Every structure is written in C-alpha cells, then in structure tokens.
Amino acid sequence: MKREDYSGLNIIYCYCIMATITIFLDNSLNSPDNNPPGFKRWVGGSDVHAPPGILVDKTDTDLSYTIDSSISVLLTWYYDGYEWNSGANINGPFATGDKIQLNKIAK
C-alpha cells in the first residue's frame, strides 16, 4: 500500500453550511371571506413559480416555509383571477418561528 505525505502542504478546508430557518405565512387577509373572491399568493424566488418560492393558497393561515437564513427580502405576487401581478416585498430580517401576515390585496 502506498502512502501519500502531505505534511509539507498548507491545505485549508472550508466547510460551508447553509443555515435555514422556517417561517410561517398567513394569508387570512386574502381569504374568500375577508377579501372576496380571495387571492392566492406566490412568495419567494426571483419570479412567479421560480424556486425556491412557495404557493400560498387563499385559505392558508400557517403555511411553513423554509428559507436560507441569509435572505432579507421576499418578493411576492398575487393572482387576480386572470394573471399574476407583483405584490409588496416582505422585508426581514427573519427568524425561525416568525409568523408573517401577508398584506391585504386592494381591489
């Protein structure tokens, strides 16, 4: 068996650990009862349906969403029955367990 000798080399190891946090999204202000006919939301990602975003249904009030802890702004969109439209950004910082109330869509 051949042994390699690395004692004369300066080797640096970098272990990068992506820390994640879980927040909870509340879309109750856009439920069919509170804001007829109700509005679906897309939260996160760089565009509608882009990963790592998540679809928030009209009736979601405690939807868990795990994100990278370095994220400080979440982009949002809402569906008006015809097309997706840009919504208000959600600004951090975020911490595990935060409950984020999504703003009411003005008709």
Side-chain angles (χ1 to χ4, degrees), residues 25 30 36 39 43 51 72 78-80 85-87 90-92 100 102:
L25 303 174
N30 294 298
F39 295 91
V43 175
S72 61
Y78 65 94
Y79 188 71
D80 65 4
N85 300 280
S86 293
I90 302 170
N91 297 309
I100 310 296
L102 302 181

Side-chain angles (χ1 to χ4, degrees), residues 12-45:
I12 299 172
Y13 292 97
C14 176
Y15 294 98
C16 299
I17 299 172
M18 183 190 323
T20 59
I21 59 172
T22 299
I23 59 175
F24 297 88
L25 303 174
D26 180 355
N27 196 30
S28 60
L29 294 178
N30 294 298
S31 71
D33 290 338
N34 292 329
N35 196 7
F39 295 91
K40 289 191 249 182
R41 305 294 297 269
W42 185 267
V43 175

Side-chain angles (χ1 to χ4, degrees), residues 3 18 34-35 45 52 58 65 67-68 71 78 83 92 105-106:
R3 292 197 137 184
M18 183 190 323
N34 292 329
N35 196 7
K58 298 174 183 182
Y65 181 35
I67 59 174
D68 183 286
I71 292 176
Y78 65 94
E83 63 186 348
I105 301 300

Side-chain angles (χ1 to χ4, degrees), residues 5-10:
D5 181 8
Y6 297 106
S7 61
L9 300 176
N10 291 323

